[in-house]
Amino acid sequence: AQLFALVSLIDFPSRWPSFFDDLISTCQWSIGNADFYLKVLMAIDCEIVDRELPRTQEEANLITFYKDSIRERSVNNLVESLYLLLKEHSNKNPEITCQTLEVIGAYVSWIEINLIVNQRFLEFFSFGLNQIDLRETTCSCMEEIINKGMEIGPKLKLIDYLWDNLLQASAIQLEQQINLVNDEQENSNCDYLLKFGKLLNSIGENLFTGWQKKNTKTSNELVSELFTSLEKKMPFVLILLNHSDDDISESVVEYCMHYISILKINKIKSRDQQNFIENMLSIVINKTKYDLSFNFDNEGED
């Protein structure tokens, strides 16, 4: 009866502020209840956050009221419930763990970032990036966290914190992942490398956008820090750019273009920067070569 009552959350959004706490407190962490709980959370998120849905001004005001009510009254319990779900299921139920990571990715756009980006959650994110069943969803969750709307100063601190404490360790393993020869593992690794490439690209996009906004003719420490952070990831970006799978290679093309755009203005000032550009050019030249399977007699192949 309680579960059926909770279904009304979806059909009658005006009940959300009063029922949200009930949703959290009702859930017992069995697989069935956890699955139901997470699906309701995703449904609520779709109803009140999805910006692609047309809204009247009245609906937009009401949605703001719902979100503010959840932030004021329920957000700590909500985050705690997600932590407990990860703690309970991360070692034994990949499906529930992935659903939990998806909810975190969805909700992080409108809740306090420090509730999610902290040491206890980073332990689960680190675990997820090292598990075949979890790493792709973990990458997607990290991408949502990186794309959270923030001022560029705090955004840079967020990116550097996640990179130093979480993502760099996975980036260092990229070449090892690429060199695996087992066909089944290789297919799985390609999916993961594509996700990681998109994550890197989101990092580059956020850093470059911040650099564009802050860049001036006068000296600016933040501008320098943004470029330094962008350049720090270039060795790993080039590893993916050089991948034989074109989808993986293309996943970081925009990152490379952003780096080139900055160097066009700043000019090449170090040997490392020259090496990055030379390696990038070499990769592009190799990518444009016709491979042995190319059929020159087939019009349209060109």
Side-chain angles (χ1 to χ4, degrees):
Q2 287 177 308
L3 296 181
F4 278 114
L6 290 174
V7 175
S8 65
L9 285 167
I10 300 172
D11 296 327
F12 299 100
S14 61
R15 300 181 183 180
W16 288 344
S18 61
F19 275 108
F20 200 84
D21 291 331
D22 293 337
L23 179 62
I24 295 172
S25 61
T26 299
C27 185
Q28 301 297 317
W29 302 130
S30 67
I31 292 176
N33 279 2
D35 176 69
F36 174 84
Y37 173 66
L38 293 166
K39 285 178 178 175
V40 172
L41 288 181
M42 288 303 294
I44 292 173
D45 179 76
C46 290
E47 289 291 335
I48 69 175
V49 174
D50 191 345
R51 295 176 180 176
E52 294 184 4
L53 294 176
R55 313 282 192 188
T56 65
Q57 187 58 50
E58 183 180 0
E59 289 172 334
N61 292 339
L62 195 59
I63 286 169
T64 299
F65 167 72
Y66 296 149
K67 290 165 68 174
D68 289 343
S69 297
I70 293 170
R71 287 192 194 101
E72 292 171 7
R73 217 172 51 198
S74 307
V75 70
N76 288 329
N77 288 337
L78 168 64
V79 172
E80 186 65 23
S81 72
L82 298 175
Y83 172 76
L84 291 174
L85 278 169
L86 289 175
K87 186 176 181 180
E88 174 70 20
H89 292 282
S90 60
N91 280 309
K92 57 186 180 183
N93 195 306
E95 184 176 348
I96 295 298
T97 305
C98 285
Q99 283 182 264
T100 306
L101 291 169
E102 288 169 1
V103 169
I104 291 173
Y107 276 69
V108 76
S109 66
W110 54 278
I111 64 175
E112 175 60 41
I113 189 66
N114 291 333
L115 293 174
I116 298 298
V117 180
N118 53 53
Q119 192 58 45
R120 66 175 190 165
F121 273 97
L122 250 61
E123 291 178 7
F124 287 114
F125 296 148
S126 178
F127 174 79
L129 286 172
N130 287 286
Q131 301 297 311
I132 292 177
D133 293 335
L134 304 176
R135 60 189 183 179
E136 292 173 39
T137 308
T138 304
C139 277
S140 296
C141 181
M142 291 295 100
E143 188 175 358
E144 293 297 331
I145 291 173
I146 293 294
N147 287 332
K148 178 178 172 63
M150 300 170 64
E151 291 293 326
I152 189 56
K155 174 64 70 72
L156 174 60
K157 291 181 180 178
L158 171 68
I159 289 174
D160 285 347
Y161 178 79
L162 289 175
W163 182 260
D164 293 339
N165 293 280
L166 179 67
L167 299 176
Q168 187 174 17
S170 295
I172 291 172
Q173 298 174 6
L174 288 179
E175 286 185 304
Q176 178 184 348
Q177 299 288 346
I178 290 171
N179 292 331
L180 289 175
V181 295
N182 180 282
D183 289 341
E184 185 176 344
Q185 282 186 307
E186 185 177 1
N187 291 334
S188 174
N189 282 325
C190 282
D191 291 338
Y192 165 64
L193 292 171
L194 180 58
K195 286 284 187 181
F196 198 87
K198 290 179 178 178
L199 172 58
L200 274 177
N201 210 59
S202 290
I203 290 174
E205 183 68 31
N206 279 275
L207 292 172
F208 179 69
T209 300
W211 182 90
Q212 281 184 308
K213 290 180 179 178
K214 296 295 181 180
N215 188 40
T216 62
K217 294 182 180 180
T218 59
S219 176
N220 190 317
E221 184 178 350
L222 180 56
V223 171
S224 176
E225 289 175 354
L226 288 163
F227 177 64
T228 298
S229 183
L230 185 80
E231 188 170 68
K232 185 178 180 180
K233 287 88 176 163
M234 278 304 299
F236 310 106
V237 170
L238 292 177
I239 289 173
L240 294 179
L241 183 69
N242 194 39
H243 198 280
S244 59
D245 186 299
D246 287 340
D247 289 335
I248 295 172
S249 180
E250 288 173 7
S251 71
V252 293
V253 163
E254 288 186 7
Y255 197 115
C256 295
M257 292 173 67
H258 293 328
Y259 183 68
I260 294 169
S261 296
I262 295 176
L263 287 187
K264 282 183 175 180
I265 297 173
N266 289 355
K267 310 301 181 185
I268 294 177
K269 297 177 180 178
S270 71
R271 181 59 191 169
D272 283 342
Q273 292 173 356
Q274 184 173 334
N275 286 337
F276 289 148
I277 295 300
E278 289 176 355
N279 290 338
M280 200 184 303
L281 182 59
S282 176
I283 291 169
V284 171
I285 290 172
N286 286 328
K287 283 283 184 181
T288 58
K289 290 179 180 179
Y290 293 107
D291 61 36
L292 295 177
S293 65
F294 189 83
N295 183 359
F296 288 94
D297 296 327
N298 186 352
E299 295 180 9
E301 282 278 346
D302 53 345

